[in-house]
Amino acid sequence: MTAPQLPSDRDLRRLVQFSSGDGRIWLAGQRMVLVHAAALSSLRSELINTIGPIATRRLLLRAGFAAGEQDAALARQIRPGRPLQEMFAVGPQLHMLEGSVQVTPELLNLDPEAGSFHGIFRWDHSWEVETHVRDFGPQAEPVCWMLLGYASGYTSAFMGRPILYKEVACEACGAASCRIEGRPVAEWPDGEQLSRDYDADSMLLKLENLASEVQSLRSTLQAADDLGPLVGHSRAFNVALDLLRKAAATNVTVLLTGETGVGKERFARGLHAMSSRKDKPFIAVNCAALPGDLIESELFGAEKGAYTGSAASRPGRFERADGGTLFLDELGELPLSAQAKLLRVLQDGAVERLGATQARKVNVRIVAATNLDLAAAVKSGRFRQDLMYRIDVYPILIPALRERPDDIEPLALHLLQRFTSLHEKTVPGFTDRALDALRHHDWPGNVRELENLVERGVILAGAGEMVDACHLFPSLPSRSEMTVNQAGRLERSADGPAATVAREALVRGISLEDLESELIQAAMQASEGNLSAAARMLGLTRPQMSYRLERIKARDVDSVG
Ligand SMILES: [Zn+2]
């Protein structure tokens, strides 16, 4: 195909939602900002005057590239199953919808399988030409930098390989229109030089890349420990972390409290890793997971023949943790008889295997965790008071996730990295809308719930697609049905303008036929009788519009006759 037609952009226009009540505009899941072209112009010319045209050009190329990449993630979602050219047209059409430039495709040949691409597009009304010529007069070199970056970013992300554009003609240089041509980097004779424009060549960007490389290497190393490190920067989190750090320097018994799922084991491991015991074992026991008659032999070990079935002597977890840390999770669930034995071990610093006659010295730091109120458990007779005093020496309350909303995003990003590497899938990030939904969730299940949601999101998002709100919360309606209400929360967009009109029509007893006929006539009037224009207004094709008009005329004749 040489000069493809752009399909209707009605599907795209429906993705734009104004949520003026809370100061936000959405394009699907991306937050957008309506900026005055004059503001962008002044930013652009100040950049040129301060850092020079070459640096400004690169900066804007890269900014445009990032915007194009974002829009490419939408293309396959919005027009699934449509012919490839229509899917691709999302980019040029969004570029128009976003008010950047008018795009007319002149040539478009693409084959993602084979990796081949050749596209030529004509540009009119480029905002960059307008502002540049006004500020600096006619130019010898093309000036549509951000636009060009957008085309390269969009096409590269869409094709999954670097495709770069050149502006072969620019209105700023006296051409009638701007014109761009895009090809795979390798097919440009000067491809290497072109791609250098997008290279992170400044020291700053290099450092940033190194930092992210170190971070990803670090997370790979930690992948074996699927509990991950402690992530957060909120005040509540830092208070807990500070207490933990102080405890790490001593051998004090630590009691971690807080709701289920806040990550008590993660904190216990963090404490161990920060302590001088870090090269010795960290042993975890879940007191609620073992049946009452097994827990004692698990904790304290057993000699051969100590009880039915104990065919050989074996050490308990206390002995295994010697020199290191023993984490007793859900301590509140420990049976009373085991509580008595545990108390003795803590008092004597020695453990006696079941059926043994002699105690063995152990050097173990105890970290206990519970989501029960131990004082209440003592009152109801379920927990020994003397044991509580031994354990509750240095309590640390791990805050619930809803109490540290600032940590949700860094945690989610950390988990995303972990699950994308676990599932070997490329998922570039979260949409703004997904992050917004995460921030507004109540998190009854805390960090564990967040882990589950992010893993589900990674699995549900398409390859190369960002995790959206409906991937995290499948009970939420899909993107197109969603809007943001006055309170800034996501909800089904039942209150769109169409719904308002529909309710009004019902109240006033207007029939569907009358509503249709009025709507069609209003569109004809507004377009001054231009059938094609009226059809476009209603998202219809010209034949569909003409059919409906005929039907209305026939109806009117019927009712008159
Ligand atoms: Zn131009």
Side-chain angles (χ1 to χ4, degrees):
M1 193 189 289
T2 48
Q5 292 287 307
L6 294 175
S8 156
D9 69 347
R10 189 163 190 260
D11 51 348
L12 304 182
R13 279 187 282 129
R14 276 191 358 215
L15 296 177
V16 182
Q17 284 170 345
F18 290 90
S19 180
S20 51
D22 62 9
R24 290 188 281 191
I25 303 172
W26 298 101
L27 172 66
Q30 307 176 45
R31 184 171 176 179
M32 306 295 283
V33 178
L34 197 61
V35 187
H36 295 85
L40 273 183
S41 292
S42 99
L43 183 67
R44 190 185 151 101
S45 57
E46 282 198 37
L47 274 175
I48 293 173
N49 290 331
T50 49
I51 63 172
I54 295 172
T56 304
R57 177 174 169 272
R58 289 195 165 184
L59 210 69
L60 294 182
L61 275 172
R62 283 204 287 268
F65 195 93
E69 274 184 311
Q70 293 271 319
D71 282 353
L74 292 177
R76 288 173 196 273
Q77 286 167 251
I78 294 170
R79 294 186 178 153
R82 304 296 307 155
L84 201 59
Q85 303 234 353
E86 268 185 45
M87 257 197 268
F88 183 84
V90 165
Q93 289 184 291
L94 282 178
H95 217 182
M96 287 201 267
L97 193 66
E98 290 161 10
S100 302
V101 67
Q102 181 187 21
V103 188
T104 312
E106 294 187 336
L107 179 140
L108 179 58
N109 289 317
L110 73 169
D111 182 354
E113 302 283 292
S116 65
F117 182 91
H118 189 207
I120 298 177
F121 300 86
R122 194 183 83 216
W123 280 347
D124 294 285
H125 315 148
S126 151
W127 75 269
E128 291 189 284
V129 167
E130 212 173 281
T131 166
H132 200 100
V133 171
R134 190 170 53 222
D135 292 342
F136 302 102
Q139 296 295 306
E141 299 288 328
V143 301
C144 301
W145 305 329
M146 209 164 163
L147 299 184
L148 198 69
Y150 179 97
S152 298
Y154 177 82
T155 310
S156 298
F158 186 91
M159 296 290 292
R161 67 195 67 209
I163 310 282
L164 296 183
Y165 285 79
K166 278 187 188 180
E167 190 169 8
V168 293
C170 184
E171 264 187 85
C173 312
S177 299
C178 301
R179 185 164 280 104
I180 58 163
E181 180 171 3
R183 295 177 182 276
V185 174
E187 287 177 26
W188 287 114
D190 51 353
E192 204 180 319
Q193 198 189 335
L194 284 181
S195 53
R196 217 169 290 142
D197 282 337
Y198 298 92
D199 266 358
D201 55 350
S202 80
M203 208 47 176
L204 205 70
L205 286 160
K206 256 185 205 150
L207 282 175
E208 199 174 72
N209 281 346
L210 281 175
S212 85
E213 200 174 306
V214 167
Q215 213 163 39
S216 67
L217 278 174
R218 212 178 262 156
S219 84
T220 321
L221 289 174
Q222 279 160 347
D225 167 17
D226 65 13
L227 286 152
L230 296 167
V231 176
H233 56 233
S234 67
R235 216 191 135 277
F237 175 82
N238 278 320
V239 167
L241 194 61
D242 197 42
L243 286 171
L244 199 70
R245 207 171 275 131
K246 285 179 180 140
T250 72
N251 278 320
V252 70
T253 296
V254 173
L255 176 64
L256 302 173
T257 60
E259 291 178 12
T260 329
V262 288
K264 296 187 202 87
E265 179 161 352
R266 200 186 309 254
F267 273 78
R269 283 181 188 274
L271 175 71
H272 176 73
M274 283 189 267
S275 74
S276 59
R277 298 170 175 265
K278 63 174 187 292
D279 297 324
K280 299 286 186 183
F282 174 92
I283 305 285
V285 186
N286 186 328
C287 301
L290 288 166
D293 51 347
L294 268 184
I295 186 91
E296 289 184 26
S297 64
E298 267 307 314
L299 281 176
F300 311 114
E303 291 296 354
K304 185 176 176 180
Y307 57 91
T308 329
S310 64
S313 298
R314 59 192 188 89
R317 308 270 178 114
F318 262 97
E319 285 176 67
R320 288 183 204 277
D322 197 18
T325 305
L326 180 66
F327 176 56
L328 299 173
D329 201 2
E330 307 209 42
L331 182 72
E333 305 297 331
L334 198 67
L336 280 166
S337 64
Q339 288 180 27
K341 289 208 174 73
L342 175 60
L343 180 67
R344 234 176 7 253
V345 176
L346 297 181
Q347 281 166 343
D348 303 345
V351 61
E352 211 170 285
R353 290 183 185 175
L354 268 67
T357 48
Q358 273 201 328
R360 299 157 195 257
K361 279 277 170 204
V362 284
N363 169 13
V364 169
R365 159 169 5 229
I366 303 289
V367 180
T370 182
N371 51 14
L372 285 186
D373 178 353
L374 283 187
V378 166
K379 260 195 194 132
S380 64
R382 287 172 60 201
F383 204 81
R384 293 178 65 109
Q385 188 168 34
D386 43 9
L387 181 59
M388 184 186 78
Y389 289 142
R390 277 269 165 191
I391 295 286
D392 193 2
V393 185
Y394 191 95
I396 301 179
L397 172 68
I398 315 293
L401 191 55
R402 87 186 73 83
E403 288 159 10
R404 46 184 191 117
D406 291 348
D407 292 343
I408 294 171
E409 187 169 333
L411 266 170
L413 290 170
H414 169 78
L415 293 168
L416 184 80
Q417 255 191 351
R418 202 173 88 205
F419 289 122
T420 47
S421 83
L422 182 70
H423 296 290
E424 294 178 0
K425 197 166 166 183
T426 318
V427 176
F430 296 93
T431 65
D432 295 333
R433 188 153 12 205
L435 290 174
D436 191 60
L438 289 177
R439 269 195 295 274
H440 285 99
H441 186 59
D442 281 335
W443 302 111
N446 287 298
V447 179
R448 195 173 303 151
E449 184 183 7
L450 179 63
E451 270 175 9
N452 294 340
L453 287 190
V454 173
E455 181 164 23
R456 180 161 64 196
V458 167
I459 292 167
L460 290 182
E465 190 188 349
M466 297 220 249
V467 176
D468 201 359
C470 59
H471 299 136
L472 296 168
F473 303 95
S475 59
L476 283 177
S478 74
R479 182 177 32 261
S480 58
E481 300 165 68
M482 296 215 311
T483 187
V484 176
N485 68 15
Q486 294 270 322
R489 299 204 172 196
L490 294 169
E491 66 174 26
R492 219 173 268 274
S493 54
D495 274 294
T500 314
V501 171
R503 271 197 302 273
E504 185 76 16
L506 279 179
V507 170
R508 292 172 180 263
I510 299 169
S511 76
L512 185 60
E513 271 185 3
D514 286 350
L515 194 65
E516 187 196 13
S517 134
E518 288 300 328
L519 198 58
I520 286 189
Q521 281 166 21
M524 285 301 284
Q525 253 169 28
S527 63
E528 296 173 336
N530 181 331
L531 195 61
S532 304
R536 267 200 303 281
M537 263 179 221
L538 297 174
L540 297 176
T541 62
R542 199 175 180 282
Q544 281 169 341
M545 183 73 181
S546 144
Y547 167 78
R548 277 166 208 249
L549 259 177
E550 291 305 320
R551 216 176 49 185
I552 289 166
K553 276 186 199 146
R555 256 193 332 242
D556 290 349
V557 171
D558 278 355
S559 57
V560 172

